[in-house]
Amino acid sequence: MIIAANLKTNHTRRSTAEYLDKVERYIETNEIIDRAVVFPPSSALTPSRRTITVGAQNAYHASNGSFTGEIGADQLDEFGIKTILIGHSERRHIIGEGLDVVKRKFDFFANIGYEIFFCVGEPLEIKEAGFDAVMTYINKQIADINLTYENLVLAYEPVWAIGTGKTATSGDILEVHKAIKNIAPKLLLYGGSVKPENTAEILSLEGVDGVLVGTASWHSENYCRLLEESKKVSRSKV
Ligand code: 13P
């Protein structure tokens, strides 16, 4: 299982270090067997810890160059970062990254061997149009992506469930995960209002290999609770 924390635009350099210290201590003293991955904001990037992979929430698809306001692979290299989130709905819908930019990012970082957490998921109006519309939408998001890339982890994050407190139902998750797994047999995380109270239920679903968590991961205590919840499930799922 992968329990990933997307800190989004939260935490400073100092509070991220404190967060990682606390989580690391927790993992080491509580026999956590699942994989912890944390995506801090760019200003707080730091090398991975023994038990925590640190990844980038975003970077430009270049090693360096004239891309004002962006960071590239050279800046990630400074911290030994080799994991990146691509295609998050906030980058697609708020920042305005289209399919072409997402694909260029994917190709660049795949080409240099990064582990890529690639997010897909439909907005509310597509969800309301039914399952076929959802899968047509998701298919478009992955159409130009090399789904056989060995370091690819997929994440299904329905846009309407992100930061809204409205988690997808178990039925929704099962149905979409099964369909995505049929297209791409890769590790597949669920994201969207995951919290300690629903983590075990979500993780126990077939086709769910972990969770990608925003809001409920921002306090280290909560993130540790998610890891604790996952411990119960992993043992019974293996
Ligand atoms: P929330 O957990 O706040 O819904 O955010 C999910 C997310 O966007 C993770 O990438």
Side-chain angles (χ1 to χ4, degrees):
M1 292 281 182
I2 296 175
I3 310 301
N6 178 3
L7 302 186
K8 305 193 180 183
T9 316
N10 301 286
H11 281 287
T12 60
R13 190 158 189 74
R14 179 186 293 182
S15 71
T16 299
E18 288 166 1
Y19 177 101
L20 292 171
D21 286 347
K22 284 187 190 156
V23 173
E24 189 174 36
R25 229 174 293 129
Y26 184 86
I27 290 175
E28 287 173 2
T29 52
N30 287 278
E31 297 175 6
I32 299 298
I33 54 171
D34 295 305
R35 185 168 168 224
V37 182
V38 175
F39 296 93
S42 299
S43 63
L45 285 173
T46 181
S48 291
R49 303 290 181 95
R50 228 184 2 257
T51 52
I52 308 169
T53 300
V54 174
Q57 290 175 23
N58 174 52
Y60 197 74
H61 43 282
S63 293
N64 52 57
S66 298
F67 308 106
T68 301
E70 297 283 333
I71 60 169
D74 282 0
Q75 285 74 39
L76 298 179
D77 275 350
E78 194 178 3
F79 301 101
I81 303 285
K82 290 286 173 218
T83 297
I84 188 165
L85 205 55
I86 294 179
H88 191 279
S89 77
E90 284 150 15
R91 294 214 57 91
R92 293 180 192 264
H93 300 288
I94 299 176
I95 315 292
E97 281 182 8
L99 292 173
D100 54 334
V101 171
V102 172
K103 177 179 164 47
R104 269 185 265 147
K105 284 193 180 190
F106 180 94
D107 289 347
F108 177 80
F109 285 101
N111 199 35
I112 55 174
Y114 271 59
E115 178 183 34
I116 297 175
F117 281 61
F118 189 82
C119 304
V120 298
E122 80 288 355
L124 185 61
E125 66 272 19
I126 300 292
K127 157 82 177 153
E128 284 171 347
F131 177 70
D132 288 348
V134 170
M135 287 317 300
T136 303
Y137 190 90
I138 292 174
N139 266 308
K140 253 189 221 148
Q141 292 180 315
I142 54 180
D144 291 332
I145 299 303
N146 175 9
L147 297 172
T148 64
Y149 178 54
E150 58 181 351
N151 286 326
L152 171 63
V153 176
L154 293 169
Y156 171 53
E157 297 205 304
V159 181
W160 49 269
I162 294 178
T164 58
K166 270 194 232 159
T167 318
T169 63
S170 294
D172 287 336
I173 299 173
L174 275 170
E175 195 176 33
V176 176
H177 275 233
K178 189 173 174 202
I180 294 176
K181 287 247 181 197
N182 277 338
I183 306 165
K186 290 286 175 186
L187 288 177
L188 178 56
L189 316 186
Y190 168 78
S193 296
V194 173
K195 42 190 178 265
E197 296 73 23
N198 60 22
T199 299
E201 183 185 339
I202 293 170
L203 288 177
S204 63
L205 297 172
E206 203 183 328
V208 175
D209 304 304
V211 283
L212 177 54
V213 189
T215 317
S217 72
W218 297 344
H219 287 105
S220 56
E221 297 76 18
N222 266 347
Y223 183 54
C224 292
R225 281 181 67 201
L226 298 170
L227 290 166
E228 191 62 38
E229 287 299 312
S230 76
K231 196 161 96 173
K232 299 177 192 164
V233 179
S234 310
R235 296 217 162 114
S236 58
K237 214 177 177 187
V238 180

